[in-house]
Amino acid sequence: NAGVMQNPRHLVRRRGQEARLRCSPMKGHSHVYWYRQLPEEGLKFMVYLQKENIIDESGMPKERFSAEFPKEGPSILRIQQVVRGDSAAYFCASSPRITRGTVDTQYFGPGTRLTVL
Amino acid sequence: EDQVTQSPEALRLQEGESSSLNCSYTVSGLRGLFWYRQDPGKGPEFLFTLYSAGEEKEKERLKATLTKKESFLHITAPKPEDSATYLCAVQNPNSGGYQKVTFGIGTKLQVIP
């Protein structure tokens, strides 16, 4: 299965700990997006990355949250000093190389469910 | 700010009872509209992309249509396995030069045997 992979699928952290969420895009995809989903709410955009570049982080909280997509390896969403309000499902999506003016479909991974105790 | 509104929020159908889900949007310069299906505890699964008003796409019991202000997802003779949350999303150019996607909250469909 060459789909988007995320791990871990479930993550439990205590308040104040760090959470690291990983995303491997589909084969051939060089664009990664992170979204957060709360119960009964829609998917909220957090950050858009290409290899070694953050393109748009307008949806990501300024403090405690960071994201990277290194030249080698998966994309990482890091949440430092987690609080109970960070509990949510975090989804990663990927798309192929984007040509200006075209439409590119985003394909989603299974998500990581973060629970902060 | 781009808005995507889906209705109804929840829909309960008897097996075989056809219906439609609505997605209305306010976005300048729409480039594409997407439909996804999401099962509980899973990630959204891509269904359709629509590019321009008048376009239609079909897949099994599902047909998506697009106008200048809204999109419909028609479900013909649904089966229990069609039960899921259906998400609508729109893509439009933003000032950063790439095309941002905005999602609606979704319609939760339940098909009763």
Side-chain angles (χ1 to χ4, degrees):
Chain A
N1 188 341
V4 178
M5 299 179 66
Q6 291 186 250
N7 67 80
R9 295 293 308 278
H10 300 274
L11 183 61
V12 179
R13 285 289 179 264
R14 296 191 180 279
R15 280 180 298 170
Q17 291 184 321
E18 178 180 286
R20 283 198 178 203
L21 288 61
R22 294 175 184 78
C23 169
S24 296
M26 285 180 70
K27 188 175 181 180
H29 286 192
S30 56
H31 301 256
V32 166
Y33 313 80
W34 286 93
Y35 292 84
R36 177 162 64 178
Q37 188 176 46
L38 292 166
E40 309 306 319
E41 292 189 19
L43 285 160
K44 300 296 184 186
F45 168 80
M46 298 181 73
V47 61
Y48 162 41
L49 310 103
Q50 295 177 20
K51 285 282 187 182
E52 300 183 282
N53 281 306
I54 297 175
I55 307 302
D56 181 356
E57 56 184 347
S58 60
M60 200 156 66
K62 294 285 188 286
E63 297 180 356
R64 302 188 298 108
F65 285 73
S66 62
E68 62 177 6
F69 189 15
K71 187 176 181 181
E72 301 291 336
S75 175
I76 306 284
L77 179 67
R78 181 192 300 177
I79 311 172
Q80 295 178 300
Q81 299 176 316
V82 295
V83 300
R84 289 216 175 106
D86 296 331
S87 295
Y90 292 84
F91 291 97
C92 167
S94 72
S95 68
R97 179 182 299 274
I98 293 175
T99 304
R100 191 182 182 91
T102 66
V103 173
D104 285 284
T105 300
Q106 294 181 17
Y107 296 88
F108 283 81
T112 294
R113 274 134 193 94
L114 173 65
T115 302
V116 180
L117 302 177
Chain B
E1 184 178 320
D2 301 337
Q3 296 278 351
V4 180
T5 304
Q6 292 189 246
S7 62
E9 290 186 7
L11 182 62
R12 197 175 184 193
L13 299 173
Q14 291 289 329
E15 184 172 1
E17 179 186 2
S18 301
S19 188
S20 296
L21 282 53
N22 177 264
C23 170
S24 62
Y25 60 90
T26 54
V27 61
S28 55
L30 179 75
R31 301 293 280 185
L33 184 142
F34 307 94
W35 282 98
Y36 288 84
R37 168 192 170 128
Q38 186 174 24
D39 292 292
K42 296 189 177 181
E45 175 189 346
F46 170 71
L47 294 174
F48 304 109
T49 303
L50 300 169
Y51 298 94
S52 58
E55 188 174 3
E56 298 183 354
K57 288 197 175 172
E58 289 189 62
K59 180 180 180 180
E60 296 181 356
R61 295 176 292 282
L62 300 176
K63 182 169 83 171
T65 61
L66 181 64
T67 72
K68 288 185 178 180
K69 294 289 186 185
E70 58 191 352
S71 176
F72 292 94
L73 184 65
H74 308 276
I75 304 176
T76 303
K79 298 182 177 182
E81 53 262 41
D82 295 323
S83 298
T85 296
Y86 290 85
L87 303 174
C88 172
V90 297
Q91 187 173 42
N92 67 299
N94 74 354
S95 58
Y98 80 99
Q99 297 170 60
K100 197 167 186 176
V101 175
T102 303
F103 280 84
I105 291 177
T107 293
K108 188 173 183 178
L109 173 67
Q110 184 182 16
V111 182
I112 314 281

